[in-house]
Amino acid sequence: MRYISASAVLTALVSVMMILTSCTQDGDTIYIPDPADQPGRVPLVAVVYAPGGLGDRGYNDLICCGVERAARKMGLRTMQMSPKTVDEGLEYLQLLFQTMTDAEDTIRRLVIVASTSYDDYLRKNCSLLEANPHADLLYLETKTPLPGKGSTFYMPYYGAMFEAGAIAPVEDADVLLVGANPKAPAIASAVEGFVDGYRHSPVKVDGATEKKLVTVWLSDDASGGFAVADTTVLRLLKVVEWSEYNRHLIVPVCGGSSAVFHRFSEMLDIYNFVGVDITETSSHCNFSVVKHVDRAIEQCIGQWLSHDGMPKHQTFGLADGYTDVVIHPYTDDSKTRFDGVLSDELRQRIHQEAVRKEADYEK
């Protein structure tokens, strides 16, 4: 196995289409399998992530896990591509599309696009894949089906975040809700869901004083806020509106940036946080909002290999169990922070209300 630069990979991709990237945020860390390895007729699944997506310890890493798990079960080759910039990601997509359009073999190839950053390119060029009956496309997290060849799926997060907001008062803390940016539909709806759940929460904590919910955005750019510096987070934690309160719960709905908030929660030892997208294991995290995108990816790859193929569009939400809220035990005897405050009956009532709210919201 030898390492080459991203520019060299782009050239090699056209001819061999067997490039793999490591699961880190270094888009230029790429390797090519030994030429002695013969792929034969094995189907290939290639994933193009958002810039710096891999290594976020959340949504993108779950996609990677889902693809690799499906590959092991179904005997597939995989290619994980995490560009440093949107332009680099577009270069990858252009060459993937060119290779699949020009291919004269019968090898099945599926490109999974895991970011709305490439929406314009996909909608203008997905029809190119119609020239190859063995090529297919799966575009994640859009409500709008593609106009040409390719499938889409959408994972509404409003319901799960509504449920999380409704049970958050158990923490008896002021809440800092951090969104990546308000122009990303999935992020905006998740933030809205949490706020709505928090404001209408039926949870009552004995002796608790009225708490404050503060919402902030890391960026105004449609693709911004998913990667931030430590200094940015430190400045945010020191804002007057937030720092004047004594107890704190941070809800980071901001992709890879969430890991920075998690780290400071551990270091400063005065904040708790809600795990978002993935189940977190931490003494400072009492519950998580989970998006099981790995399960959805496995489901779609199985459909792709089946006789019927993937549906044109699918939705995987709270009612289907693809999103949920996980409460973590904090002692060896499985006790949780919610014992004595959130009964099973109340928890179920909140969940059913969240399912109904999501259905109404998505209409």
Side-chain angles (χ1 to χ4, degrees):
M1 185 179 299
R2 61 190 179 88
Y3 291 81
I4 61 177
S5 67
S7 59
V9 165
L10 290 174
T11 302
L13 179 59
V14 177
S15 58
V16 298
M17 201 178 173
M18 291 178 59
I19 305 147
L20 295 143
T21 68
S22 61
C23 291
T24 71
Q25 295 190 41
D26 297 325
D28 57 352
T29 305
I30 300 171
Y31 60 91
I32 295 180
D34 190 301
D37 295 336
Q38 297 299 319
R41 320 308 298 172
V42 178
L44 173 67
V45 178
V47 190
V48 180
Y49 294 90
L54 281 178
D56 65 356
R57 295 174 56 191
Y59 182 80
N60 289 286
D61 284 4
L62 283 175
I63 293 173
C64 181
C65 289
V67 169
E68 295 304 324
R69 196 159 60 230
R72 289 192 297 272
K73 290 179 181 178
M74 305 172 196
L76 310 173
R77 290 179 293 146
T78 64
M79 175 167 41
Q80 307 281 355
M81 311 181 75
S82 185
K84 287 183 175 179
T85 64
V86 171
D87 287 342
E88 187 172 278
L90 287 172
E91 288 185 70
Y92 285 139
L93 278 174
Q94 289 166 0
L95 285 167
L96 284 167
F97 272 46
Q98 179 183 336
T99 301
M100 291 194 294
T101 301
D102 296 341
E104 297 181 355
D105 55 48
T106 58
I107 296 175
R108 300 191 65 179
R109 296 177 174 91
L110 171 66
V111 173
I112 299 175
V113 180
S115 172
T116 55
S117 299
Y118 314 116
D119 185 89
D120 187 57
Y121 175 83
L122 292 177
R123 296 190 182 280
K124 289 180 179 178
N125 294 279
C126 58
S127 59
L128 295 175
L129 300 182
E130 294 170 1
N132 183 353
H134 309 291
D136 215 333
L137 170 67
L138 175 62
Y139 177 29
L140 311 189
E141 298 290 28
T142 176
K143 291 183 178 181
T144 309
L146 292 168
K149 188 172 185 179
S151 298
T152 53
F153 79 55
Y154 174 60
M155 300 188 75
Y157 221 13
Y158 179 92
M161 291 299 291
F162 181 96
E163 184 172 338
I167 68 174
V170 174
E171 296 274 2
D172 190 20
D174 298 304
V175 179
L176 177 63
L177 178 59
V178 184
N181 72 78
K183 296 179 181 178
I187 298 294
S189 64
V191 168
E192 186 177 352
F194 187 92
V195 172
D196 289 347
Y198 191 84
R199 286 175 176 169
H200 299 92
S201 173
V203 173
K204 305 300 179 186
V205 181
D206 291 339
T209 57
E210 184 175 351
K211 300 299 176 181
K212 190 172 184 66
L213 170 64
V214 178
T215 302
V216 297
W217 300 99
L218 295 176
S219 174
D220 290 325
D221 185 80
S223 60
F226 295 101
V228 295
D230 288 6
T231 52
T232 300
V233 173
L234 281 173
R235 285 197 300 270
L236 179 60
L237 295 178
K238 291 179 179 178
V239 296
V240 175
E241 187 178 19
W242 170 245
S243 61
E244 65 185 30
Y245 301 100
N246 295 321
R247 301 188 62 187
H248 311 86
L249 175 67
I250 301 173
V251 187
V253 191
C254 46
S257 299
S258 299
V260 183
F261 287 93
H262 299 173
R263 187 168 69 253
F264 277 111
S265 295
E266 303 286 358
M267 291 171 55
L268 301 177
D269 201 32
I270 56 175
Y271 307 104
N272 280 348
F273 65 89
V274 176
V276 177
D277 289 345
I278 194 167
T279 300
E280 291 285 351
T281 303
S282 168
S283 60
H284 290 277
C285 181
N286 293 316
F287 70 104
S288 298
V289 193
V290 184
K291 182 175 279 194
H292 300 290
V293 66
D294 53 334
R295 297 181 191 171
I297 287 290
E298 278 193 85
Q299 170 83 352
C300 290
I301 291 176
Q303 292 170 338
W304 171 60
L305 294 172
S306 71
H307 179 268
D308 294 330
M310 290 184 293
K312 185 67 176 175
H313 182 75
Q314 299 179 83
T315 299
F316 302 101
L318 185 64
D320 309 306
Y322 282 93
T323 64
D324 64 14
V325 176
V326 179
I327 297 176
H328 310 309
Y330 66 93
T331 62
D332 292 338
D333 57 3
S334 298
K335 290 184 179 179
T336 75
R337 173 74 177 81
F338 298 74
D339 291 350
V341 181
L342 188 65
S343 66
D344 291 342
E345 180 182 359
L346 180 56
R347 173 75 194 278
Q348 185 61 26
R349 181 154 61 90
I350 291 173
H351 175 74
Q352 293 301 326
E353 177 68 8
V355 170
R356 288 192 293 272
K357 289 288 188 179
E358 181 167 273
D360 291 341
Y361 183 85
E362 292 303 324
K363 288 179 181 178

